[in-house]
């Protein structure tokens, strides 16, 4: 239900990075008395009890090759738009989203976090496992609640971190069984091409586990530097080794680079890529034709105009409410939207408890329990344990092909594929 007075806005402010702030929803006369059980609400950083305003933070790169990631912020805005409407989890409150442009660099992110941490109640999205890992000591010391854009095994069970989607590094254990089942590549040679960072290392680990679990033939492993614009040497090695299926792992524009340079070498393996590899140019850039013929991408949720996920149409409605000219984006909008909805749930619990201090938000987090995947967007239920060690990530991923005819460039092939290998892998690394 939309309020005629609701406004959604995004403003860029020059700072040490780029700060992006958004106001979601308009305060209403509903939403209770601002405290738990009629008592006085204990406040904390980023909370103005008098004006019923909450400020949440985000650490999302929004410049250069990562400019498209700003759609994560639109997703957060859309979620808080819904949460602050009549009947929403935060009815009667206003939520402001403040983003810092990390440029996907840990050394840049740390001072940005330190600069705004005392003015936010929690961090709703952080992109980059390396950045989150670098922030862990401060997150712990500040008792800050943080929801990442995706996790790796070293972060999944850390205190104060709230996983909301399938682990970013476990896509190989879904993509490879899917390819074997649907593309008859069980006799192929499987190789890897991963970025030289923590994400790439864990994707490699998941790849190795999957190939061994399924008894597949493994070829070679190749690496590339972050933001590499040349993959010619790696492609030559993969081609010479007879690699017929290549599991990739990285961020930014490396898939476009791979497509263009592999085409130049007349090399066309089946390429598998997780959602960290997605960007909106995959279906329109110079490598689009090659990718449409050779790549499968796994992403949580449904295709843009799909009807499998009950929450897909709702997300589009909310995005359109804050930006009538919204440009459909598959992965980032969903990540922001899911994380915004979960943040609203946590903050609403803290308000109901009467304590929105850092300690109160952390306590509320442990009380959320299982966040049931009624919207069909998260890849399954999100289990938030009483302790971080009891967290259980969702595991279902949807399989897509590159197609310029669909709004996001991703055409759904299989919704919510379930992989026993993923379940076994997660069980093997759970503390």
């Amino acid at each position: 239900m939309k309020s005629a007075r609701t406004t959604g806005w995004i403003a860029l402010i020059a700072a040490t990075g780029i700060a992006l702030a958004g106001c979601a929803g308009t305060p209403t006369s509903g939403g209770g008395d601002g405290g738990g059980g009629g008592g006085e609400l204990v406040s904390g950083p980023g909370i103005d009890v008098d004006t019923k305003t909450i400020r949440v933070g985000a650490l999302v790169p929004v410049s250069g090759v990562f400019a498209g990631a700003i759609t994560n912020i639109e997703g957060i805005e859309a979620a808080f738009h819904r949460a602050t409407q009549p009947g929403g989890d935060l009815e009667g409150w206003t939520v402001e989203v403040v983003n810092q442009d990390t440029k996907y660099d840990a050394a840049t992110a740390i001072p940005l976090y330190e600069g705004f941490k005392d003015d936010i109640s929690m961090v709703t999205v952080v992109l980059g496992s390396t950045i989150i890992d670098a922030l862990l000591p401060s997150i712990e010391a500040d008792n800050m609640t943080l929801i990442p854009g995706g996790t790796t095994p070293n972060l999944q069970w850390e205190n104060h971190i709230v996983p909301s989607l399938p682990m970013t590094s476990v896509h190989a254990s879904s993509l490879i069984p899917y390819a074997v089942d649907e593309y008859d590549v069980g006799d192929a040679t499987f190789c890897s091409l991963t970025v030289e960072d923590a994400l790439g290392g864990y994707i490699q680990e998941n790849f190795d586990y999957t190939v061994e679990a399924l008894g597949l033939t493994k070829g070679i492993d190749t690496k590339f530097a972050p933001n590499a614009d040349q993959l010619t040497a790696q492609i030559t090695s993969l081609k010479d080794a007879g690699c017929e299926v290549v599991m990739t792992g990285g961020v930014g524009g490396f898939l476009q680079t791979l497509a263009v340079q592999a085409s130049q070498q007349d090399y066309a393996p089946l390429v598998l890529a997780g959602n960290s590899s997605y960007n909106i140019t995959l279906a329109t850039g110079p490598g689009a034709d090659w990718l449409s013929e050779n790549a499968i991408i796994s992403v949580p949720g449904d295709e843009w105009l799909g009807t499998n996920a009950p929450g897909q149409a709702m997300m589009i409605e909310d995005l359109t409410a804050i930006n009538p000219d919204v440009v459909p984006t598959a992965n980032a909008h969903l990540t922001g939207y899911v994380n915004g909805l979960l943040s609203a749930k946590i903050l609403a619990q803290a308000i109901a408890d009467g304590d929105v201090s850092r300690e109160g938000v952390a306590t509320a987090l442990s009380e959320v329990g299982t966040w049931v995947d009624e919207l069909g967007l998260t890849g399954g239920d999100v289990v938030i344990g009483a302790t971080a060690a009891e967290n259980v990530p969702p595991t279902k991923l949807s399989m897509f092909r590159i197609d310029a005819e669909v709004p996001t460039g991703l055409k759904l092939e299989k919704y919510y594929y379930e992989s026993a290998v993923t379940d076994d892998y997660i069980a093997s690394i759970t503390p």
Side-chain angles (χ1 to χ4, degrees):
M1 175 175 165
K2 297 182 183 178
S3 166
R5 296 177 57 212
T6 297
T7 59
W9 52 271
I10 294 177
L12 294 176
I13 306 170
T16 49
I18 295 178
L20 186 152
C23 172
T26 300
T28 72
S29 58
D33 59 8
E40 183 177 350
L41 183 62
V42 177
S43 190
I47 307 287
D48 188 325
V49 174
D50 293 334
T51 64
K52 299 184 76 172
T53 300
I54 302 170
R55 288 169 64 87
V56 301
L59 292 162
V60 174
V62 293
S63 58
V65 69
F66 298 104
I70 198 169
T71 50
N72 283 273
I73 309 302
E74 283 191 339
I76 300 170
E77 290 279 347
F80 282 123
H81 165 80
R82 176 163 292 272
T84 53
Q85 296 303 295
D89 285 333
L90 295 174
E91 178 184 352
W93 288 79
T94 295
V95 179
E96 298 177 0
V97 181
V98 182
N99 183 56
Q100 299 292 335
D101 179 11
T102 66
K103 306 185 189 305
Y104 210 79
D105 174 66
T108 300
I110 291 172
L112 292 177
Y113 168 78
E114 295 294 335
F116 83 159
K117 68 181 184 180
D118 293 332
D119 200 29
I120 56 173
S121 57
M122 63 180 293
V123 181
T124 297
V125 172
V126 182
L127 295 187
S129 56
T130 301
I131 289 173
I132 300 170
D133 193 48
L135 289 173
L136 277 179
S138 294
I139 295 297
E140 181 78 22
D142 300 333
N143 204 12
M144 181 74 77
T145 297
L146 179 153
I147 309 182
T151 60
T152 46
N154 61 319
L155 302 174
Q156 175 70 34
W157 295 279
E158 283 286 343
N159 292 327
H160 304 286
I161 293 181
V162 193
S164 60
L165 292 161
M167 296 173 69
T168 312
S169 59
V170 302
H171 287 240
S173 54
S174 288
L175 279 159
I176 293 173
Y178 177 76
V180 170
D181 290 346
E182 301 296 327
Y183 286 82
D184 194 26
V185 293
D187 294 330
T189 298
F190 287 75
C191 301
S192 67
L193 173 67
T194 56
V195 66
E196 294 175 326
D197 65 8
L199 173 62
Y202 284 115
I203 291 173
Q204 181 69 52
E205 175 185 278
N206 186 237
F207 168 77
D208 290 338
Y209 180 96
T210 303
V211 169
E212 181 176 355
L214 295 178
L216 302 171
T217 300
K218 181 179 175 181
I220 64 170
D221 300 319
T222 58
K223 308 289 182 185
F224 62 93
N227 299 321
D229 60 5
Q230 283 294 325
L231 296 173
T232 301
Q234 291 89 338
I235 293 166
T236 298
S237 296
L238 292 166
K239 183 178 180 180
D240 290 348
C243 298
E244 298 160 285
V245 181
V246 178
M247 179 68 213
T248 66
V251 298
F254 84 92
L255 275 184
Q256 288 280 13
T257 303
L258 171 63
V260 171
Q261 295 174 5
S263 179
Q264 291 169 352
Q265 294 197 41
D266 194 27
Y267 178 49
L270 180 63
V271 170
L272 309 178
N275 66 324
S276 64
S277 307
Y278 170 78
N279 67 68
I280 199 169
T281 68
L282 292 181
T284 59
D289 290 342
W290 189 94
L291 289 168
S292 68
E293 293 177 6
N294 300 300
I296 305 172
I297 296 186
S298 53
V299 178
D302 204 353
E303 67 182 354
W304 191 254
L305 299 177
T307 57
N308 297 285
Q312 184 68 24
M314 186 178 91
M315 179 177 69
I316 294 172
E317 176 186 348
D318 293 338
L319 286 165
T320 304
I322 66 161
N323 178 11
D325 300 318
V326 63
V327 176
T329 307
N331 186 48
H333 274 144
L334 182 142
T335 298
Y337 191 70
V338 165
N339 282 18
L341 292 176
L342 181 54
S343 297
K345 186 72 65 178
I346 295 166
L347 291 166
Q349 181 64 53
I351 292 168
D353 291 344
D355 185 354
V356 288
S357 67
R358 288 275 167 75
E359 293 74 16
V361 173
T363 298
L365 166 64
S366 68
E367 295 171 343
V368 170
T370 298
W371 191 39
V372 179
D373 185 24
E374 295 177 343
L375 300 181
L377 298 175
T378 58
D381 296 347
V382 178
V383 179
I384 302 173
T387 66
E390 298 172 271
N391 292 341
V392 181
T395 59
K396 289 179 280 193
L397 291 163
S398 300
M399 303 297 165
F400 296 82
R401 299 300 299 261
I402 306 296
D403 188 337
E405 297 300 315
V406 297
T408 63
L410 290 186
K411 183 175 179 59
L412 181 69
E413 193 166 80
K414 174 69 175 179
Y415 176 73
Y416 268 16
Y417 177 76
E418 298 187 56
S419 168
V421 182
T422 294
D423 293 338
D424 292 343
Y425 172 75
I426 290 177
S428 76
I429 62 173
T430 299

